[in-house]
Amino acid sequence: MLEWCVGIGITLLTFLIYFAYFFKFNWVKDLRTETKTRQTRSFYAGNKHRKVGKLPPVYPNGWFALLESSQIKNGQVKHVCALGENFAVFRTERGVVNILDAYCPHLGANMAEGGRVKGDCLECPFHSWTFRGKDGYCENIPYAEKVPHVARVKVWKSCEVNNIIFVWYHSESAEPDWQPQSHTYISNRSWRYQGRNEYLINCHIQEIVENGSDPAHLTSVHEAAKSSKENHKAGLHMCHKLVLLERFNVMEIDVLTEQIGPSYVELIITTSIGPMCILQTVTPIEPLLQRVTHQIYSPPLLAPYANLIFLGECVMFERDMKIWNYKRYERQPTLVPEDRGIQAFRRWFSQFYSEHSPTYETAMKDLQW
């Protein structure tokens, strides 16, 4: 009997150690795939006649996450649909990431579906035309004596920062004037990746990132949003508390949030036992369909605490997700003085829209061809 109890104890201890230090979260929720649940049936019924409101442009200008670095290996190509575009994201055999328009200019084959990486080029699966990743020019047509000088596919500017692959999108085709920067503790690997979550949410991109400027629905203490000297950045300071029985503060964490462009947020979390970081990305897949991811990093010894923090973040985010999936965008909301942060954030965010930014109506027409 004693040996049996010891065995169970060792097994439980092993499981706890594994979960605390080696388990990596991969918390993925796609409402569209859960078709058998009452909640999903209710969702589609409720959204059939949903009023979207007077929406801002649906695709802001800026850097957007397409993939995480671990999701694409050397010599691999992936097809990513986002921002009303089809991207062929490929990593060369030397490990360099390039992003081309997915469609071959020859006869329109999707080069990310069955295409092959050859050196620094991407080969079309239809007639084996190969296109250079750096400039998009066709390098070889196996059955032709000469390659036409007009044989070229669009190259999308990209960067790989903090283990995330970003693409630059701008409705006026303007060049990037900023880009995400490497986080010191992530780039030098002193902080360890602890896991991720991923959600598909039915709303406008601004609804999600605007959430940080709305303190009224959060159980936290906020400081006012602060604009950075760099126009593409905005900051917010929060102090989250876990209160038991409405009187005991069990856990208090300090969160410094930096919004970098329209779609990327870094949350630096300071706790009584050490710091950690959560990276949030929001990418419009369609006008009212956003893919949101969070990745958490922490010092190795803080892994158990980081897992606990991240689990709490998942639960809180899903609470808001239930609101976003059904709400209408209010362009001129009825506000009280305590809501001043919302209007300040909207003024800041408006810089990422320009004259030809796609509207909901024009983007939907492109999807319905």
Side-chain angles (χ1 to χ4, degrees):
M1 184 68 178
L2 179 60
E3 292 179 355
W4 185 74
C5 292
V6 170
I8 293 178
I10 292 175
T11 301
L12 289 174
L13 182 60
T14 302
F15 174 79
L16 289 173
I17 292 174
Y18 169 79
F19 179 80
Y21 288 99
F22 302 104
F23 175 78
K24 299 291 188 291
F25 273 98
N26 188 25
W27 188 296
V28 180
K29 289 290 183 73
D30 181 354
L31 194 64
R32 302 171 307 167
T33 62
E34 299 170 8
T35 56
K36 295 183 180 180
T37 67
R38 180 180 300 178
Q39 179 183 0
T40 303
R41 287 197 298 269
S42 173
F43 168 79
Y44 282 115
N47 277 268
K48 183 178 180 181
H49 303 292
R50 179 183 182 183
K51 294 181 179 180
V52 298
K54 295 182 179 180
L55 295 169
V58 291
Y59 303 142
N61 301 319
W63 291 97
F64 294 88
L66 294 186
L67 292 169
E68 292 157 37
S69 297
S70 61
Q71 294 175 328
I72 186 165
K73 301 176 182 178
N74 289 6
Q76 189 176 18
V77 59
K78 288 201 171 184
H79 179 206
V80 180
C81 299
L83 300 155
E85 304 289 345
N86 288 267
F87 302 101
V89 184
F90 72 98
R91 193 184 292 279
T92 68
E93 295 171 358
R94 295 183 298 167
V96 178
V97 170
N98 293 296
I99 301 177
L100 301 179
D101 192 87
Y103 296 114
C104 178
H106 177 214
L107 288 174
N110 190 321
M111 298 187 292
E113 299 290 347
R116 293 190 299 172
V117 177
K118 288 194 170 181
D120 296 328
C121 299
L122 180 61
E123 181 186 80
C124 176
F126 202 8
H127 296 92
S128 298
W129 289 33
T130 56
F131 296 88
R132 295 197 295 258
K134 63 180 180 180
D135 56 20
Y137 280 102
C138 183
E139 188 171 85
N140 180 57
I141 302 174
Y143 55 87
E145 293 183 1
K146 184 179 179 181
V147 176
H149 71 279
V150 295
R152 188 184 185 188
V153 66
K154 180 176 180 177
V155 178
W156 292 86
K157 288 185 170 56
S158 62
C159 65
E160 189 169 11
V161 179
N162 297 328
N163 301 320
I164 301 171
I165 297 170
F166 293 92
V167 68
W168 172 257
Y169 173 90
H170 198 288
S171 60
E172 320 289 335
S173 300
E175 294 292 310
D177 53 3
W178 59 275
Q179 73 176 49
Q181 298 298 309
S182 297
H183 190 287
T184 303
Y185 294 116
I186 296 175
S187 59
N188 66 17
R189 299 186 179 183
S190 60
W191 283 9
R192 193 174 70 177
Y193 170 74
Q194 294 299 136
R196 67 187 294 274
N197 61 28
E198 179 178 334
Y199 300 99
L200 289 179
I201 304 172
N202 290 270
C203 67
H204 189 278
I205 180 175
Q206 191 173 313
E207 300 272 24
I208 298 171
V209 294
E210 190 176 284
N211 204 55
S213 61
D214 176 19
H217 79 290
L218 298 173
T219 54
S220 59
V221 178
H222 283 60
E223 289 182 3
K226 300 173 183 177
S227 296
S228 167
K229 293 181 180 178
E230 300 174 276
N231 291 334
H232 64 278
K233 293 183 179 181
L236 184 72
H237 177 232
M238 298 178 289
C239 180
H240 288 275
K241 296 180 180 180
L242 177 61
V243 182
L244 295 181
L245 303 176
E246 299 183 353
R247 51 187 303 192
F248 299 107
N249 292 337
V250 176
M251 184 170 62
E252 183 173 329
I253 58 176
D254 194 72
V255 183
L256 183 61
T257 303
E258 187 168 47
Q259 172 89 35
I260 305 170
S263 71
Y264 178 58
V265 179
E266 294 183 355
L267 298 94
I268 308 301
I269 302 170
T270 303
T271 73
S272 58
I273 59 174
M276 59 193 71
C277 176
I278 294 179
L279 309 180
Q280 173 183 289
T281 70
V282 185
T283 303
I285 306 302
E286 295 177 5
L288 290 181
L289 179 62
Q290 315 300 322
R291 182 179 65 240
V292 181
T293 70
H294 298 89
Q295 295 119 59
I296 185 166
Y297 292 84
S298 76
L301 291 178
L302 283 188
Y305 195 39
N307 285 339
L308 184 62
I309 295 290
F310 196 58
L311 183 61
E313 190 275 340
C314 291
V315 172
M316 288 191 296
F317 193 82
E318 289 188 19
R319 178 193 62 185
D320 290 337
M321 193 172 70
K322 294 176 182 178
I323 304 297
W324 293 322
N325 273 331
Y326 294 95
K327 76 185 300 294
R328 179 182 70 180
Y329 181 81
E330 296 290 347
R331 177 166 289 189
Q332 294 181 320
T334 302
L335 302 175
V336 296
E338 290 79 6
D339 294 323
R340 59 186 177 274
I342 296 175
Q343 290 290 43
F345 181 85
R346 289 190 175 188
R347 287 193 296 271
W348 174 81
F349 197 89
S350 66
Q351 69 179 296
F352 303 115
Y353 302 128
S354 52
E355 181 181 357
H356 295 100
S357 292
T359 64
Y360 176 74
E361 290 75 19
T362 59
M364 289 302 294
K365 286 180 181 178
D366 288 342
L367 288 175
Q368 294 171 359
W369 68 273

